[in-house]
Amino acid sequence: MDIFVIRGGTPLVGSIALAGAKNVALKALVASLLTDEPLILSGVPLIRDVALMGELLAGLGRKVIFNEHTVRIEKDGKDSFQVPLELGARLRTSSMVLGPLLARRGEAIIPNPGGCRIGARPIDRHIEGLVKMGADISYHSEDGYFHARAKKLTGVTYEFPKNTHTGTETLILAAVLAEGTTVLRNAAQEIEIDDLIALLNSMGAQITRSDTREITIKGVPSLHGGAYSIMPDRNEEVTFAIAAAVTGGRITITNSQHEHLEAFLDAFRKAGGTAEVEGATTTYASGGALTAVDVTTAPHPGFMTDWQAPWAVLMTQAKGSATIHEAVFESRFSYVPELKKMGADISFFDPPVENPEVFYNYNWSDRVPGFHPAIRIAGPTHLHNAVVNITDLRAGATLVLAALAAQGESYVHGIEHLDRGYEAFETRLSQLGAQLKRINEE
Ligand code: EPU
């Protein structure tokens, strides 16, 4: 296992380009199963989750050829409709092949999806929608697989009980080749979904966002291949913005996604950070003393759950008491004990919520005993070095940022979680002046 050794205290300064969006690339790769023609995707981030998805597609009869950030996916002759347990367990998005496999093969066997352990992460909303479209799906606990069959998928009107990003995408991927029109109500608004829609439309699909939270998909008999460039990763931009602010540096993003980061920019500027937008670039810095700002996570266009962990590091450097209320996932504070090892002053609490079953994006019944949905951070604190352990992707970026802001040399374990979602993180941070190296523990 590799670890990062990070010497903190150096301001990060310079320019950087965002990699392609992980949360589009993975679904774009799944979309290749909807056609027998070659699909060429550019702007694909070179991260472990993408490599795993490549392996998964290879197992389903696709040849996946990487040429730096461009990937060509083409039919390979051999065909399968089963995702192996060990692959599915490592990749959250593995369940998304359900739609294409059901639409084209009439059958799919997929494991309970894995990915970041940030709560129970069930896929009940995905399954409910697919069943409404005519699929028969059951989970076999004796083998750990979902077994799904559909003679044909039929267009329906389906209203999601609560927001779900990949659930919305899963149903889109199923509905493009279904018979008739599907209308998804209470559909998620994440802009990564609109990038996937643009890709599918470029392949011949007929999908429109018919209202802010409604997506209409007219089923078509087949899709063709083509070429598509994936949007840059806005979650990376948030990570680099906070890296600039907590190290007292200044980072310019050359392919900024600022127009999709309104809620973040609003909170960042209120906290005293500066974000200077100039055309396609945005330059982030701390702008001097930082002030505490409370955030509550929400689906897009709110303050995204992916941003709250790095936000916590920013708040350790801000004056006052800041709260973070996590409303999307029921367990996304794994970084808190680790930040406390570095000197952060953080306590858990339960904010009063009138109707928690409705307010929280997760199923209320999935909450874990002893979990608190919010934290309070008292700042500013001088972070110091520690040996810390990463347990999920965004928590990982958070601990790296904290170590970069801290005095002394920190050891960050569990960086395989970071490798899942950030391309060459240490190389890019080093280019900005960070003093960190990857070493093999053995
Ligand atoms: N949920 C259910 N049942 C479902 C679907 C969702 O209970 O059928 C719950 C989830 O457990 C969660 C909440 O509803 O508590 C919201 O889940 P959602 O489905 O919106 O999240 P996701 O699709 O699993 C994606 C991203 C996440 C990102 C969220 C929010 C991908 C691969 N993952 O997850 O990204 O945080 O949407 O936008 O697109 C990351 O990049 O690190 C990451 C975790």
Side-chain angles (χ1 to χ4, degrees):
M1 287 292 171
D2 292 348
I3 65 171
F4 279 164
V5 180
I6 301 176
R7 177 158 288 282
T10 309
L12 299 197
V13 178
S15 293
I16 194 141
L18 304 173
K22 164 180 87 77
N23 289 344
V24 177
L26 293 167
K27 296 69 176 275
L29 287 164
V30 172
S32 70
L33 293 170
L34 289 165
T35 176
D36 284 343
E37 295 180 16
L39 180 65
I40 297 163
L41 301 170
S42 52
V44 176
L46 300 178
I47 53 177
R48 197 163 59 95
D49 271 8
V50 162
L52 285 174
M53 184 56 86
E55 273 182 53
L56 192 154
L57 293 180
L60 295 176
R62 290 291 183 279
K63 200 192 276 178
V64 185
I65 307 149
F66 283 84
N67 181 2
E68 299 195 348
H69 295 95
T70 300
V71 183
R72 179 186 169 96
I73 311 113
E74 57 189 42
K75 202 164 158 30
D76 195 22
K78 54 181 180 336
D79 236 0
S80 165
F81 49 83
Q82 176 158 2
V83 174
L85 196 60
E86 61 279 10
L87 252 182
R90 288 156 72 199
L91 190 60
R92 165 80 184 160
T93 37
S94 57
S95 66
M96 300 186 78
V97 302
L98 263 177
L101 291 180
L102 282 175
R104 303 200 68 212
R105 301 279 319 235
E107 185 164 13
I109 303 179
I110 59 135
N112 213 355
C116 267
R117 285 282 148 238
I118 48 179
R121 300 194 86 180
I123 55 168
D124 51 314
R125 299 170 204 161
H126 311 208
I127 303 282
E128 190 181 274
L130 290 169
V131 167
K132 237 189 144 194
M133 293 176 77
D136 178 14
I137 306 177
S138 54
Y139 181 65
H140 296 196
S141 52
E142 65 281 6
D143 66 6
Y145 283 97
F146 284 98
H147 293 250
R149 276 175 194 278
K151 275 208 182 81
K152 71 167 184 204
L153 293 175
T154 314
V156 289
T157 294
Y158 177 69
E159 177 155 346
F160 288 99
K162 285 186 179 184
N163 196 75
T164 167
H165 176 164
T166 47
T168 300
E169 292 165 332
T170 296
L171 291 200
I172 292 172
L173 288 162
V176 275
L177 295 180
E179 201 174 284
T181 298
T182 300
V183 180
L184 300 177
R185 301 227 165 104
N186 196 23
Q189 270 175 267
E190 276 74 17
I191 46 113
E192 290 78 7
I193 298 174
D194 293 285
D195 209 33
L196 176 67
I197 291 175
L199 159 68
L200 292 167
N201 283 342
S202 78
M203 296 166 72
Q206 289 192 25
I207 311 170
T208 50
R209 195 175 270 282
S210 32
D211 208 341
T212 315
R213 291 192 64 85
E214 183 183 277
I215 295 170
T216 301
I217 307 122
K218 278 194 191 146
V220 294
S222 63
L223 294 188
H224 54 77
Y228 191 79
S229 179
I230 286 160
M231 65 178 286
D233 196 320
R234 61 185 175 139
N235 292 328
E236 272 205 355
E237 180 154 349
V238 168
T239 308
F240 286 118
I242 293 177
V246 296
T247 62
R250 188 176 169 81
I251 297 177
T252 299
I253 306 291
T254 54
N255 53 350
S256 170
Q257 295 297 294
H258 57 84
E259 68 272 31
H260 303 307
L261 291 172
E262 265 182 43
F264 170 73
L265 289 173
D266 193 37
F268 187 72
R269 286 179 174 133
K270 267 194 200 130
T274 60
E276 295 157 21
V277 178
E278 215 182 302
T281 72
T282 304
T283 300
Y284 294 94
S286 79
L290 294 164
T291 339
V293 170
D294 298 340
V295 294
T296 298
T297 65
H300 187 76
F303 190 99
M304 300 281 290
T305 169
D306 305 285
W307 309 337
Q308 62 91 347
W311 186 258
V313 185
L314 189 73
M315 289 301 101
T316 65
Q317 303 308 299
K319 188 167 187 296
S321 167
T323 61
I324 297 179
H325 189 174
E326 171 57 60
V328 176
F329 287 99
E330 78 280 16
S331 178
R332 213 173 187 180
F333 284 129
S334 67
Y335 61 86
V336 169
E338 307 305 295
L339 274 189
K340 286 171 84 167
K341 285 184 199 164
M342 303 179 85
D345 181 349
I346 308 181
S347 50
F348 283 99
F349 73 107
D350 301 296
V353 170
E354 218 162 80
N355 201 346
E357 289 88 348
V358 176
F359 176 78
Y360 291 109
N361 196 169
Y362 49 86
N363 300 332
W364 186 236
S365 55
D366 284 335
R367 68 200 190 283
V368 276
F371 173 70
H372 304 282
I375 56 172
R376 186 172 283 115
I377 306 164
T381 39
H382 287 290
L383 298 178
H384 55 73
N385 63 320
V387 177
V388 291
N389 192 31
I390 293 174
T391 51
D392 76 68
L393 176 62
R394 305 297 165 195
T398 298
L399 297 175
V400 170
L401 297 185
L404 289 169
Q407 288 303 315
E409 193 168 80
S410 293
Y411 290 77
V412 182
H413 291 257
I415 58 174
E416 64 277 10
H417 293 285
L418 264 177
D419 293 338
R420 285 190 40 222
Y422 288 91
E423 177 175 327
F425 201 37
E426 72 271 30
T427 312
R428 294 157 78 209
L429 287 171
S430 299
Q431 282 161 1
L432 296 167
Q435 294 188 38
L436 88 167
K437 56 179 188 263
R438 179 189 287 255
I439 59 166
N440 194 281
E441 215 181 3
E442 280 138 352

